[in-house]
């Protein structure tokens, strides 16, 4: 019990710090710099546009497609459905709640900060550059799945997916580098806060055996 409470406190502390950094940067950038890019933002975008990265264009477009809208909703539905099939209702509830709340927080920050996107983007994008919604969703998926399936390879795949999504958003010119960092911080913070609320239920559920549905039917 003491160990679990200590873990929950650390989790909340990390999540709060990440969220404060993300929101704080957005506020300072909007009020103090009127949304202007940092030197690192401009330098990173110039480096990408000057380099020969045409080979990454197709993967960037694919990540742009699957990272939002119907494809992202379909991916989330598949994950939630799989958790239910594996008799992990608390896991499914946790995943859905984290995904919905993460998206809501990102949209609130976007519409509050109102940062302009870089010019001459390679794909169309909606209003608000900060934070990156694609990066936030990738980080949310990575953290939730890493918590529900605590394996090193799951965390590594989640981190790789999130970093690839962050890179693709800047490569396509729809986000500044700081947008993607803010998105990743927000997308990771929300599921960590949600986890602190249902850690006991998830721990108890995860301790039980969860054979695949076809094995149970046999």
């Amino acid at each position: 019990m003491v160990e679990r409470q200590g873990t929950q406190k650390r989790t909340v502390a990390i999540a709060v710090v990440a969220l404060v950094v993300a929101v704080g940067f957005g506020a300072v950038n909007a009020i103090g710099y009127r949304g202007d890019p940092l030197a690192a933002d401009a330098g990173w975008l110039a480096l990408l546009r000057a380099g020969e990265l045409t080979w990454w264009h197709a993967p960037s477009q694919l990540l742009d497609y699957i990272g939002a809208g119907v494809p992202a909703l379909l991916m989330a539905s598949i994950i939630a459905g799989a958790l239910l099939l594996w008799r992990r209702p608390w896991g499914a509830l946790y995943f859905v709640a984290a995904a919905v709340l993460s998206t809501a927080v990102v949209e609130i920050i976007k519409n509050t900060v109102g940062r302009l996107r870089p010019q001459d983007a390679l794909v169309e994008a909606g209003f608000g550059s900060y934070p990156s919604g694609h990066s936030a969703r990738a980080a949310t998926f990575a953290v939730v799945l890493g918590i529900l399936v605590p394996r090193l390879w799951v965390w590594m795949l989640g981190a790789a997916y999130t970093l690839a999504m962050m890179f693709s958003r800047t490569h396509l010119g729809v986000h500044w580098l700081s947008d993607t960092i803010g998105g990743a911080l927000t997308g990771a913070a929300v599921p960590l806060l949600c986890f602190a609320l249902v850690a006991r239920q998830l721990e108890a559920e995860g301790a039980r055996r969860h054979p695949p549905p076809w094995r149970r039917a046999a």
Side-chain angles (χ1 to χ4, degrees):
M1 178 66 73
V2 175
E3 182 179 355
R4 182 195 302 137
Q5 290 178 343
T7 301
Q8 288 177 306
K9 289 180 179 179
R10 288 192 296 271
T11 299
V12 170
I14 293 171
V16 168
V17 169
L19 200 55
V20 167
V21 170
V23 174
F25 173 81
V28 170
N29 182 254
I31 297 172
Y33 299 91
R34 297 182 180 180
D36 290 342
L38 305 179
D41 290 327
W44 177 253
L45 185 61
L47 179 65
L48 291 180
R49 289 181 172 174
E52 295 294 332
L53 290 171
T54 54
W55 61 272
W56 184 253
H57 188 63
S60 289
Q61 285 189 313
L62 176 61
L63 289 169
D64 173 65
Y65 176 72
I66 67 175
V70 174
L73 180 60
L74 179 60
M75 187 187 307
S77 299
I78 291 173
I79 294 173
L83 289 168
L84 290 174
L85 283 175
W86 262 262
R87 294 183 179 178
R88 299 199 65 174
W90 276 106
L93 177 62
Y94 165 58
F95 172 73
V96 172
V100 171
L101 288 174
S102 176
T103 299
V105 172
V106 166
E107 290 304 314
I108 291 172
I109 299 175
K110 272 183 180 289
N111 286 278
T112 301
V113 173
R115 191 184 200 187
L116 296 178
R117 294 179 183 271
Q119 296 181 346
D120 303 321
L122 300 180
V123 295
E124 294 184 1
F127 171 78
S129 186
Y130 185 89
S132 165
H134 280 66
S135 301
R137 275 183 288 274
T140 297
F141 281 26
V143 170
V144 170
L145 292 178
I147 288 174
L148 295 179
V149 188
R151 300 288 187 274
L152 179 60
W153 66 268
V154 175
W155 282 105
M156 291 180 65
L157 282 178
Y161 175 62
T162 303
L163 290 172
M165 185 66 77
M166 293 169 67
F167 182 84
S168 74
R169 303 315 285 162
T170 55
H171 174 246
L172 293 173
V174 291
H175 281 292
W176 303 107
L177 177 62
S178 55
D179 296 337
T180 64
I181 296 173
L185 288 174
T186 304
V190 173
L192 288 176
L193 289 173
C194 292
F195 170 69
L197 296 175
V198 293
R200 181 175 59 83
Q201 291 86 346
L202 291 177
E203 181 181 348
E205 186 176 76
R208 296 193 293 267
R209 294 182 66 255
H210 299 282
W214 57 86
R215 188 174 297 175
R216 290 198 304 268

